[in-house]
Amino acid sequence: MNRWLQQPLMWLRTWTTSIAYLPSMLAMVYTLLGLISVMPSGLPDPSSLPNSDFFEALTFKQHDTPRTLLAALVGGLISLMVFSFTMVMSVLTQAGAQFSHKLLLGLVTERHHQLVLGHYLGSLLFLLVNLMVPNTGDSPTLWRSLAVYLGVLMMVNCLGMFVYFIHQVSQSVQINAVARRLSGRTRLSLERLRQRNRDDGFCEREVGRDDDQCQLLRARRRGYIQQVDFSALRQLAIKHDMVVHLDFALGAFIVSGMPLMRIEWPNGLPEGATAGEELDEEQQAELIKNLRAALGYLDGESVEDLHEHGLTQLMEVAIKALSPGINDPGTARLCMHQLTELLSERMSVPLCNCCVDDHKAVRVSWQMESFASLLYRAITPILHYGRDDLSICLALLELLKTLSLMGAQYGHLVLLQQHADKVVEAILAQAEFEVDRRFIEHGLQAGHHRLNLPSPQW
């Protein structure tokens, strides 16, 4: 892609995915409609139209009547907007306290919320345009009278949108909807990763490098790098006959000045370059600019770009539900059900940590989080905070049992068995009474799995 088009396309993508996109577009449509409504109508006099009595009845006779009605509609709509979004802030505050503050941006940017905001703003602008532009003549024309009636219909539409808005907001902060929405976004991210890794240019292999023989490129800005155009880096590496080694893990927070990537030259350094030193920006300014342009910085965690963030957020919702202030193990179990499905899908996704050229030579390499690390980060905090709750421990054991049946390789089975041993230890520590022992023994023996679980002898 032409580098002159990259920045405008990035701005366009940011605009179309922002919370202001749909409200702005709808507001422009309503404003245009308002401007049309105050233009000279070109409609004939009502008395010359068929059913003239009907149109005469629709036409206002005095200037003050439509202005009073429009002013009342504007005041009522402003009050409706204030009440609606006061309710939203109250609900979002409660959701942030109960689940996670990371989820608030996803709730605010829901499309149906943006549609309601757009209809509110657009209707208000339409009414204001008609209120500000004065009528001409002795009495309002039929065209201006019809515009006032249209404003009334818009207000009725806003009342309907208000009811719809209350329903959607109340539904969106329920844990089932929150977990399903977060799981769906993570699943889409996993599917994109699977599609990318099916490309012939991506593979997994051991990549070695000698840092003393590489040139260093440092970061110039701070932020989370969660988007990398690997195809662009691969083409640059092939064109300049080099190997690009990324020094960061995707999703990591980058501080200005820290090592960003290292450039290895298999056929010798370019003229004027020295191994182990930073790239000379004067000699290779265009190359450096293109290398930096392949990295996308974001403020915060994007589940759409990295599925690891989705798994982490589900885990955080679960452990927050287990906190003494909330004490909601049911929410934690719902999150673990979603984690089970996502981890099973993640286990089947082939890992790729490098791009190769047509001759299978490595051109780009990066760090990829292993399934073992991801599983540990997902379930260990839940076990830590919920080890005294038998239902949480049994839910974790059920998660591991299910993963053992999902085509897990031998290395995965060993890992799952190690985690299962930790969970079983926490479960057996709660076998204080006979009724507990019967329930625990039933939980250990229930279901199919490929793990080696003990048969306790009480």
Side-chain angles (χ1 to χ4, degrees):
M1 182 184 297
N2 192 325
R3 64 185 183 89
W4 298 107
L5 296 177
Q6 290 181 351
Q7 192 64 34
L9 289 177
M10 185 178 298
W11 289 338
L12 180 62
R13 181 178 181 270
T14 302
W15 166 245
T16 55
T17 56
S18 68
I19 188 176
Y21 173 65
L22 279 180
S24 299
M25 299 302 293
L26 285 172
M28 289 174 60
V29 172
Y30 276 90
T31 303
L32 180 61
L33 189 60
L35 293 175
I36 294 174
S37 68
V38 298
M39 293 173 63
S41 65
L43 288 178
D45 188 77
S47 60
S48 63
L49 294 172
N51 300 321
S52 58
D53 294 338
F54 173 75
F55 289 105
E56 285 283 357
L58 289 179
T59 305
F60 291 103
K61 303 301 185 295
Q62 298 179 355
H63 286 292
D64 292 340
T65 304
R67 292 185 61 84
T68 303
L69 182 56
L70 288 172
L73 292 175
V74 168
L77 185 54
I78 292 176
S79 300
L80 188 64
M81 292 176 63
V82 171
F83 179 75
S84 298
F85 291 96
T86 300
M87 180 188 65
V88 168
M89 298 310 299
S90 176
V91 170
L92 291 180
T93 301
Q94 182 180 358
Q98 186 171 358
F99 303 132
S100 173
H101 290 286
K102 293 180 181 179
L103 302 177
L104 296 186
L105 181 60
L107 295 175
V108 172
T109 55
E110 286 290 329
R111 287 297 187 185
H112 51 263
H113 292 168
Q114 297 181 30
L115 285 173
V116 173
L117 177 60
H119 282 289
Y120 280 178
L121 291 177
S123 299
L124 181 60
L125 291 174
F126 177 87
L127 295 173
L128 287 175
V129 169
N130 278 271
L131 186 60
M132 292 172 62
V133 177
N135 292 294
T136 58
D138 296 333
S139 63
T141 62
L142 175 61
W143 184 256
R144 295 298 298 271
S145 299
L146 292 177
V148 175
Y149 290 121
L150 181 58
V152 174
L153 291 178
M154 289 180 179
M155 186 63 184
V156 173
N157 174 66
C158 289
L159 291 174
M161 297 294 289
F162 174 68
V163 176
Y164 169 79
F165 187 62
I166 292 176
H167 171 75
Q168 289 295 331
V169 169
S170 61
Q171 293 292 321
S172 63
V173 295
Q174 293 183 7
I175 181 55
N176 289 327
V178 171
R180 184 172 60 251
R181 181 170 52 249
L182 188 54
S183 176
R185 293 163 59 197
T186 308
R187 195 177 298 109
L188 289 176
S189 178
L190 278 169
E191 183 58 31
R192 282 194 291 269
L193 178 64
R194 183 182 287 108
Q195 293 292 338
R196 188 201 72 182
N197 290 351
R198 287 174 181 170
D199 192 294
D200 293 337
F202 291 83
C203 66
E204 180 185 11
R205 65 170 65 175
E206 291 290 336
V207 179
R209 74 181 190 190
D210 185 359
D211 290 346
D212 294 333
Q213 299 301 319
C214 296
Q215 288 186 278
L216 178 64
L217 180 63
R218 295 185 180 275
R220 281 185 168 182
R221 53 180 295 190
R222 57 177 289 278
Y224 297 90
I225 301 183
Q226 299 176 100
Q227 301 171 351
V228 178
D229 190 346
F230 291 108
S231 298
L233 289 178
R234 177 174 176 267
Q235 294 300 323
L236 283 173
I238 294 174
K239 178 181 177 180
H240 295 276
D241 192 19
M242 61 185 184
V243 183
V244 180
H245 301 284
L246 302 183
D247 268 5
F248 58 89
L250 293 179
F253 182 75
I254 302 299
V255 178
S256 178
M258 71 177 294
L260 190 64
M261 61 180 74
R262 299 178 191 271
I263 311 302
E264 183 180 356
W265 308 92
N267 296 323
L269 296 170
E271 184 179 354
T274 304
E277 295 185 356
E278 295 187 28
L279 286 171
D280 190 333
E281 297 190 10
E282 294 183 358
Q283 296 180 2
Q284 306 177 53
E286 185 68 19
L287 172 60
I288 294 174
K289 185 176 182 179
N290 291 331
L291 288 173
R292 295 185 188 278
L295 308 180
Y297 288 80
L298 295 176
D299 292 328
E301 299 179 353
S302 172
V303 177
E304 289 77 7
D305 293 312
L306 287 178
H307 63 278
E308 290 91 342
H309 292 325
L311 294 168
T312 301
Q313 290 183 19
L314 281 170
M315 176 270 294
E316 291 172 348
V317 173
I319 62 176
K320 194 162 189 176
L322 295 174
S323 63
I326 297 178
N327 193 21
D328 185 9
T331 293
R333 288 195 298 271
L334 286 173
C335 293
M336 282 188 280
H337 297 160
Q338 300 294 339
L339 282 173
T340 303
E341 181 180 7
L342 294 173
L343 286 171
S344 66
E345 293 188 21
R346 173 62 173 79
M347 192 163 48
S348 64
V349 174
L351 291 181
C352 296
N353 66 336
C354 61
C355 289
V356 297
D357 57 19
D358 296 336
H359 302 288
K360 304 303 179 183
V362 175
R363 291 300 179 180
V364 184
S365 71
W366 62 91
Q367 305 173 32
M368 188 70 184
E369 186 172 10
S370 65
F371 175 76
S373 173
L374 197 57
L375 179 66
Y376 184 88
R377 291 199 300 113
I379 69 172
T380 300
I382 300 177
L383 178 61
H384 174 75
Y385 287 97
R387 65 182 305 112
D388 295 330
D389 190 316
L390 186 57
S391 66
I392 297 299
C393 293
L394 290 176
L396 281 174
L397 186 61
E398 186 64 28
L399 181 152
L400 297 169
K401 286 181 180 180
T402 303
L403 292 180
S404 71
L405 296 172
M406 303 304 293
Q409 302 174 358
Y410 175 74
H412 289 159
L413 281 177
V414 173
L415 175 67
L416 294 174
Q417 183 64 57
Q418 293 172 346
H419 284 283
D421 292 340
K422 291 175 58 179
V423 176
V424 170
E425 181 181 355
I427 291 175
L428 296 181
Q430 303 180 53
E432 184 176 357
F433 301 100
E434 180 63 27
V435 65
D436 297 325
R437 297 170 185 170
R438 290 199 305 268
F439 185 77
I440 290 172
E441 187 169 1
H442 174 74
L444 292 175
Q445 297 175 356
H448 300 282
H449 56 84
R450 297 165 61 192
L451 301 174
N452 181 23
L453 300 179
S455 297
Q457 302 296 326
W458 309 108

